[in-house]
Amino acid sequence: MADYSIQELMIISAAREIADGELVFVGMRLPITAYGVARLTHAPNAVGLFECGIARYAPAEDMLYTMGDPPNQLNAAWLSGLVPVMSQLQRGRVDAGFIGGAEVDRYGNINTSYIGDFTRPDVKLPGSGGAADIAAMSKRLLVIMNHEKKRLVEKVAYVTSPGYLSGGDSRARAGLKGGPSALITDRGILRPYGPDNEMHLASIHEGNTIEEIRENTGWNLKIQPKMIETPPPSPEEMAALHKIDKDGFWR
Amino acid sequence: MLDKLHSLKDAIAAHVPDGSSVVLGAVLEPDIPFAATHEIIRQGIKGLNVIAPISDASTDMLVGAGSVDEVTGAWVGNVSGGLGHNYRRAFENRETPAIKLNDNSNFSIGMALMAGAYGMPFAPMRSILGSDITKSNPNFQITKNPFSEDEEPVVLVPPLAPDVAILCVQRADSQGNNHHWGNRGVAQEAALAAEKVILLADEIVQSDVIASDPCRVLVPGYLVTAVCHVPAAVHPSPQVGCWKRDNDFFGEYHSRSRTPEGFKAWLDEWVFGVPDHSGYREKLSLRLNDLRITGSAMAAPTNYAAD
């Protein structure tokens, strides 16, 4: 195995999804680290937004447990409210947004609300937070999740955050643009492919086989014709990550 | 001038009767008025509709204590631990849920409070289109944009005008004029939408301190019903310039609330085991010293001179 952890490869894969100058809705933990790596490497002019009402250029210097912690407020680009910041999604300004979830399906719909019937759920999950808004209104949605058969399911029980809904043009018919552009897992990267917008395996992380990945996916996962092996982290990317992850949390 | 300074105990008793709709936790992860959450539980207030986009563990505590009939929110859990155990127990393995959930996204809560604040009959929005939130919460209506030539769907959000908004600020005078700095979540919309506002101030200052910088005022004192001097009212959540986040406290709460018995023991220790918030602070003791922000990162002075 190479000289990096799978979490580090996921972070760097996520960082590569951010282009320079983009406005990015950043989530906690892995996404905020990915944003930091992107800023230090290929995207020095990216801007990060946080739903609690914060805009930042450089990521916070100190450890954050939540996006509202004091280090994320110190020297922010803007401290404002939820409505002024989240309205930039609806205004169509936000290039990319990160979310995670408990379940994702073949059309990239995400569930973080209920497992089972919502009137009598088997499991009650915390809910949307800002995820539904980010999924609906970002130009590109980036989803990060561990690759397990119970998480990557044929059809989610409840669509908290819309992907391509029932595929094809159903998202557009619901009045939405954008949609998921990447589902980054610990085994590979899935992307929508073809007119049906079904999530296909587009990139495979080192150490996995297509067979293993298909076995760990809850639908009949198809492979993009131009599937690649995920490029390993470059020395520059690893240096940027280690600069941010001083304590080696992700190693 | 009317003095609006009251003890937290008196302010909650006077302005949060059973069945109130209450904004508790308007700033998302920081500035959560946990002192008020605990006082509501201590007074045995029931039947609340708790309104908050994300309130960290505050809503979970109120649900577990039996104070809540309804939650109007986007996310209920424990930011450090993930799931909220009391909240889960209110829904799982039951014929019918023990509480009513009015599902929202963060933005739809913001739009609802904005509509309430500005006296709008509803707020139009697009960003929960495609989500099942519009199915599990029947209060939203999807219609067609009357100004569009295309068949463009739009979500209509009914306004929220809460009975009371409970908010934390860094400093206030005795009339409720105040300074708040840091991100604001939906605090300003909530204060403008609510019938009453209860402020928990970390510090009480002379009025000229507040008047010297009116741009930092969350809402002016004439909109404030009561102001309470409660240092560290936000604990264990953070407050810019005052308190760091007590992450371990959230973690301990998460593991102890895993069972109903564990939660009850936690409540007996941290809520019923102290007479009021000053007793809670005494119990925290040295831990609170470690959480106090002692550094200095002052903003540049701002000139408001008129001539």
Side-chain angles (χ1 to χ4, degrees), chain A residues 1 8 20 33 37 48 68 105 133 158 164 247:
Chain A
M1 190 62 195
E8 288 178 324
D20 196 19
T33 314
V37 171
D105 69 19
D133 309 304
Y158 181 97
Y164 294 103
D247 301 330

Side-chain angles (χ1 to χ4, degrees), chain B residues 103-123:
Chain B
D103 263 309
N104 273 271
S105 71
N106 278 350
F107 194 64
S108 70
I109 289 273
M111 289 291 101
L113 288 170
M114 188 185 83
Y118 299 161
M120 292 155 55
F122 55 82

Side-chain angles (χ1 to χ4, degrees), chain A residues 66-144:
Chain A
T66 79
M67 56 185 83
D69 287 2
N72 211 32
Q73 314 237 11
L74 178 63
N75 294 323
W78 193 29
L79 295 180
S80 179
L82 181 152
V83 171
V85 168
M86 295 203 83
S87 289
Q88 292 176 65
L89 285 161
Q90 194 168 261
R91 177 67 177 79
R93 291 188 198 276
V94 176
D95 296 296
F98 282 101
I99 66 173
E103 284 186 337
V104 61
D105 69 19
R106 70 193 302 164
Y107 295 116
N109 303 301
I110 293 135
N111 178 14
T112 51
S113 299
Y114 303 91
I115 305 291
D117 176 1
F118 70 72
T119 61
R120 271 184 65 184
D122 298 327
V123 180
K124 179 71 193 86
L125 301 164
S128 163
D133 309 304
I134 293 167
M137 292 290 144
S138 298
K139 291 179 195 166
R140 303 193 313 280
L141 181 68
L142 307 167
V143 186
I144 300 178

Side-chain angles (χ1 to χ4, degrees), chain A residues 70, chain B residues 202 230-235 237-246 281 287-293:
Chain B
D202 204 71
V230 189
V234 298
H235 178 271
S237 71
Q239 185 174 38
V240 170
C242 297
W243 303 102
K244 293 182 267 194
R245 188 172 200 272
D246 191 345
R281 289 195 300 274
R287 183 172 188 151
L288 213 47
N289 287 351
D290 292 340
L291 294 167
R292 189 187 301 277
I293 290 173

Side-chain angles (χ1 to χ4, degrees), chain A residues 98-226:
Chain A
F98 282 101
I99 66 173
E103 284 186 337
V104 61
D105 69 19
R106 70 193 302 164
Y107 295 116
N109 303 301
I110 293 135
N111 178 14
T112 51
S113 299
Y114 303 91
I115 305 291
D117 176 1
F118 70 72
T119 61
R120 271 184 65 184
D122 298 327
V123 180
K124 179 71 193 86
L125 301 164
S128 163
D133 309 304
I134 293 167
M137 292 290 144
S138 298
K139 291 179 195 166
R140 303 193 313 280
L141 181 68
L142 307 167
V143 186
I144 300 178
M145 216 178 280
N146 280 338
H147 206 126
E148 299 166 26
K149 198 163 192 156
K150 64 169 188 182
R151 291 184 176 274
L152 276 70
V153 299
E154 170 78 29
K155 188 170 171 27
V156 292
Y158 181 97
V159 177
T160 311
S161 305
Y164 294 103
L165 297 175
S166 53
D169 65 349
S170 58
R171 182 180 167 100
R173 279 188 279 112
L176 300 175
K177 298 173 185 166
S181 70
L183 166 58
I184 300 166
T185 79
D186 50 348
R187 293 179 180 274
I189 301 172
L190 282 63
R191 295 185 191 274
Y193 180 76
D196 206 30
N197 281 314
E198 184 178 325
M199 301 303 282
H200 283 52
L201 186 61
S203 186
I204 182 167
H205 300 337
E206 188 188 348
N208 291 276
T209 66
I210 290 175
E211 205 167 64
E212 279 169 356
I213 290 179
R214 296 192 70 205
E215 274 170 18
N216 284 284
T217 304
W219 70 86
N220 182 17
L221 179 64
K222 295 173 195 158
I223 315 299
Q224 271 200 15
K226 289 181 181 169

Side-chain angles (χ1 to χ4, degrees), chain B residues 64-87:
Chain B
S67 303
V68 175
D69 278 1
E70 285 183 52
V71 170
T72 301
W75 192 97
V76 178
N78 179 313
V79 175
S80 294
L83 299 168
H85 297 304
N86 287 314
Y87 187 62

